[in-house]
Amino acid sequence: MKLSLLLPLCLLGASLLFAPLESLADGLVAVDANPPAAPAPPTTPWSVVGAWACTHPDWTGTVQIAADGTFSNQDSTGHWTLTASHDRVILVLAWNGWPTETVTMISPDEFRAPVRGQGQEGEFTMHRIPAPDAAPAPAAFETRRWQQGDAPIRLIRKEEGFCALTMVTGHFEGAGEMVRVYVADDGYWYLGGDSHQEGVAAECIVVRYRGR
C-alpha cells in the first residue's frame, strides 16, 4: 500500500524535474549581472601651448608657447619641456642667451616660481591668456532692391549681421540724388534714398551671422 502511494509522487517529481526550461522561464525577465559601463564623457586634453601673460623681476610681457617645442617673448626665444618633481608639473624654459628657468604648475592655467633677476630676487609668474572667441561666421545672405518712390526698406537688426550696397543705377545730377544703407535709431539696417530725377535705384546685400 505504501509503495503504491510513493510511486505516483515519484512520477510527479520526475515530470517537474524534466519539464522544458522554456516553460519554466515564461514571464521571467533576464537581468545582466554585469551591464556595460556608460561611455565616459569626452575630455579636452590639457596643453601648455598658447599665450601666457608673464611677470618677471626683469621684464613683463607675453610668452607664446608653440606646439613644436619652441617659445618666444618680445625679446628672446627658446625651447621648452615639461617634467615633474614631487608630484608637481614643472615647465622648463631654456632661453637662447638667457639662463634656463623653471616654473611649477599651480593650476592648469598658472605657473609660478621664485627667481633671481639681474641683482634682485622676485617671482616669475605665468597666467594663461584665454583664446579669443571666433567671430560669428556669415551663414546666409540675400539681396534687396529699392527704387525711387519707395519708402526706406527695413532690413535686419544690427546684431543680426550687416548690409552693403552692391548696385546703384539711374540719373544722378547734383546733390538731389542719393542712395544708402544705414542703421537707424531703432537699431535696424535700412536701404533707401532720394531722387529728383528718373530711374534711381539701388540693391544691397544682407548678410546674417550664423545662428541669427
Side-chain angles (χ1 to χ4, degrees):
M1 184 68 178
K2 292 181 180 180
L3 182 61
S4 62
L5 289 176
L6 290 174
L7 185 58
L9 292 175
C10 292
L11 292 176
L12 178 61
S15 65
L16 291 175
L17 180 63
F18 294 104
L21 292 178
E22 56 269 20
S23 65
L24 295 177
D26 287 346
L28 299 181
V29 178
V31 177
D32 190 348
N34 298 295
T43 57
T44 302
W46 177 85
S47 173
V48 74
V49 173
W52 296 78
C54 302
T55 301
H56 189 279
D58 295 332
W59 58 274
T60 299
T62 300
V63 166
Q64 188 72 43
I65 298 180
D68 63 0
T70 64
F71 69 90
S72 62
N73 72 350
Q74 61 268 29
D75 297 316
S76 186
T77 60
H79 288 79
W80 63 271
T81 55
L82 284 176
T83 183
S85 176
H86 301 291
D87 298 327
R88 304 299 295 271
V89 175
I90 306 296
L91 173 62
V92 181
L93 301 174
W95 295 93
N96 294 327
W98 295 354
T100 297
E101 295 176 309
T102 61
V103 283
T104 302
M105 178 191 284
I106 306 302
S107 74
D109 297 321
E110 179 182 2
F111 285 84
R112 194 179 285 268
V115 296
R116 176 181 291 275
Q118 297 179 357
Q120 60 180 338
E121 295 184 353
E123 191 173 47
F124 183 13
T125 64
M126 301 177 61
H127 292 89
R128 187 190 299 275
I129 300 175
D133 294 334
F141 66 90
E142 61 178 314
T143 300
R144 300 295 298 273
R145 179 181 176 85
W146 171 91
Q147 60 187 16
Q148 68 180 76
D150 293 344
I153 301 173
R154 191 169 76 169
L155 302 170
I156 58 175
R157 296 192 308 272
K158 63 181 181 180
E159 296 85 4
E160 292 181 280
F162 62 92
C163 306
L165 287 173
T166 56
M167 187 274 289
V168 174
T169 186
H171 184 191
F172 285 76
E173 183 174 339
E177 287 66 53
M178 176 268 296
V179 292
R180 62 175 180 154
V181 286
Y182 58 97
V183 177
D185 293 339
D186 61 358
Y188 278 80
W189 283 91
Y190 283 83
L191 170 63
D194 193 15
S195 173
H196 299 285
Q197 302 297 326
E198 296 180 355
V200 173
E203 289 184 357
C204 76
I205 187 172
V206 180
V207 182
R208 293 179 182 272
Y209 295 133
R210 179 167 300 170
R212 298 287 186 171

